[in-house]
Amino acid sequence: MKIICIGRNYVDHTKELNNPIPKKPVFFMKPETSLLQKNNPFFYPEFSEDIHHEIEVVIKISKVGKHIQKEFAPNYYEEIGLGIDFTARDLQASAKAKGLPWEIAKAFDHAAPIGKFLPKSHFTDVQNFDFELMINSEIRQQGNTNEMIFSIDEIIAYISQFVSLKIGDLIYTGTPAGVGSVSIGDRLQGFIGDEEMFDFEVK
Ligand code: ZN
């Protein structure tokens, strides 16, 4: 399986990092070794001094597809989850400054925590639900999928023009505003509505 992440999909977050609003989705990938599951702790890596949290709604692909048209995109996923796109912001800034790719800041081990999944039937509208990240019982990031620049269906259609999607692939759909650093000892809890999706610690 592979993990595909969308960058700059919420206007407020795009602005907080001083990036232009994209005209097409921006995507990058993380390897399978980035997954962190079952509420296992995240061990703060030695190579960074500025690991940022990015709370993101995650789509699980349920059907093989390429060149998927937007109107058929809903047929390609059955479950929605919540995860974090951990980013080594210091390494990313230095790579960006040199015009280099920034995989090093995104693709490291356990940089993609993922919680449980909910069936699509749980949602009255997949493009209109609230999600949030709490750190040490304080709200740090809040979003609603109606704030996405590119909808889930547009993302699936766009990515599948370039990359075939396979069963079990995960798409992280971008983060709303409020990204910031995590520290050793932090407890991170993710919610979709009132439903707790993950709960793990930084060690
Ligand atoms: Zn992200």
Side-chain angles (χ1 to χ4, degrees):
M1 60 82 66
K2 57 188 174 289
I3 301 165
I4 302 167
C5 304
I6 304 297
R8 307 171 191 176
N9 202 25
Y10 288 80
V11 171
D12 290 349
H13 169 64
T14 304
K15 285 183 181 161
E16 76 183 344
L17 293 187
N18 296 314
N19 287 314
I21 306 295
K23 296 197 169 60
K24 291 176 180 172
V26 175
F27 74 87
F28 56 91
M29 294 199 219
K30 297 184 187 233
E32 192 171 356
T33 40
S34 290
L35 281 180
L36 180 64
Q37 295 169 288
K38 299 175 184 167
N39 288 329
N40 282 323
F42 173 77
F43 288 94
Y44 204 103
E46 287 178 1
F47 51 72
S48 175
E49 289 173 1
D50 196 18
I51 299 287
H52 271 202
H53 55 79
E54 296 188 355
I55 187 81
E56 308 202 2
V57 170
V58 179
I59 304 304
K60 189 192 280 183
I61 296 297
S62 58
K63 191 172 153 183
V64 173
K66 63 194 293 188
H67 298 294
I68 298 162
Q69 288 174 17
K70 186 185 157 189
E71 55 266 43
F72 298 118
N75 300 333
Y76 288 81
Y77 69 99
E78 299 297 332
E79 291 177 290
I80 295 177
L82 195 67
I84 292 184
D85 166 19
F86 271 138
T87 304
R89 199 68 76 197
D90 46 356
L91 301 187
Q92 186 189 37
S94 115
K96 272 183 171 176
K98 295 175 192 151
L100 294 171
W102 27 268
E103 255 90 350
I104 191 171
K106 291 283 195 178
F108 55 88
D109 286 355
H110 300 154
I114 183 73
K116 66 178 183 182
F117 283 85
L118 299 170
K120 261 194 304 193
S121 58
H122 176 92
F123 302 90
T124 41
D125 181 356
V126 297
Q127 287 304 152
N128 186 8
F129 66 84
D130 293 317
F131 58 97
E132 67 181 32
L133 172 67
M134 292 183 75
I135 301 185
N136 305 327
S137 304
E138 284 178 16
I139 295 170
R140 287 289 186 88
Q141 284 190 273
Q142 273 181 317
N144 185 298
T145 52
N146 65 13
E147 299 160 358
M148 288 182 178
I149 298 170
F150 301 103
S151 69
I152 293 166
D153 294 346
E154 287 168 334
I155 290 167
I156 290 172
Y158 184 77
I159 293 171
S160 70
Q161 291 178 47
F162 305 94
V163 180
S164 294
L165 296 176
K166 295 178 77 174
I167 295 168
D169 287 349
L170 299 179
I171 302 176
Y172 283 59
T173 57
T175 195
V179 302
S181 305
V182 296
S183 305
I184 291 172
D186 283 348
R187 178 184 181 190
L188 279 64
Q189 292 166 283
F191 294 86
I192 287 180
D194 296 329
E195 191 85 28
E196 187 179 86
M197 304 298 286
F198 62 75
D199 178 0
F200 68 91
E201 282 180 35
V202 179
K203 289 193 171 175

